[in-house]
Amino acid sequence: MRSALLALGLLSLSVAAAPRPWAVVVDIDSTITNSAFRRRIHQKVPLARAAAVLSGLEKKGVAVVYLSKRNVCQLADTVHWLARHGFPPGAELILRSDPAEPGLDFK
C-alpha cells in the first residue's frame, strides 16, 4: 500500500489509497510559509518541499483546502503567491470576510 507523508510545520498526516475522497486542510502563514514574523505576502518564503508535497497529494486525488485568517481583500495576492511558488490551486481557498473576527474564532 502506497502512502504519502505530509510534514508541514507541526502537522503530519499519512495518506493511503482509500475508496473514499480525502482532503487536507492547510493553513498558509507559518504552516506552508516560513513566516515567524509579519511580512507582506509577496515577501513570504514557502517551506521547502511544501508545494511538492501538496501537489503530490492532489495528484493522488486528495483535495487541498487552504484556510487562512487573511482578509478576503487579499484573495488575488494569495492566489498569485500560491501559483508563483508552485502550489496546486486547491479545491478551495477559505479567507476571513470579517477583519474584526479573531483569527482563532474564524478557524
Side-chain angles (χ1 to χ4, degrees):
M1 184 181 254
R2 297 167 116 199
S3 65
L5 179 64
L6 170 63
L8 302 175
L10 300 176
L11 172 69
S12 67
L13 172 68
S14 179
V15 178
R20 62 182 183 192
W22 283 81
V24 61
V25 179
V26 176
D27 192 2
I28 297 174
D29 300 309
S30 298
T31 303
I32 62 172
T33 68
N34 189 3
S35 57
F37 55 94
R38 289 185 174 253
R39 288 184 176 178
R40 295 188 183 268
I41 186 162
H42 66 275
Q43 297 173 322
K44 293 189 183 257
V45 177
L47 290 179
R49 298 195 17 83
V53 169
L54 291 178
S55 293
L57 287 171
E58 187 179 65
K59 287 177 185 169
K60 291 180 185 259
V62 176
V64 175
V65 177
Y66 299 101
L67 175 66
S68 177
K69 66 179 184 177
R70 292 177 182 182
N71 194 295
V72 153
C73 68
Q74 294 174 301
L75 176 64
D77 289 338
T78 301
V79 170
H80 178 72
W81 185 91
L82 290 166
R84 183 166 46 108
H85 292 287
F87 285 91
E92 204 162 336
L93 171 60
I94 303 169
L95 301 177
R96 183 171 51 166
S97 60
D98 179 3
E101 181 180 23
L104 289 177
D105 290 348
F106 166 74
K107 290 181 180 179

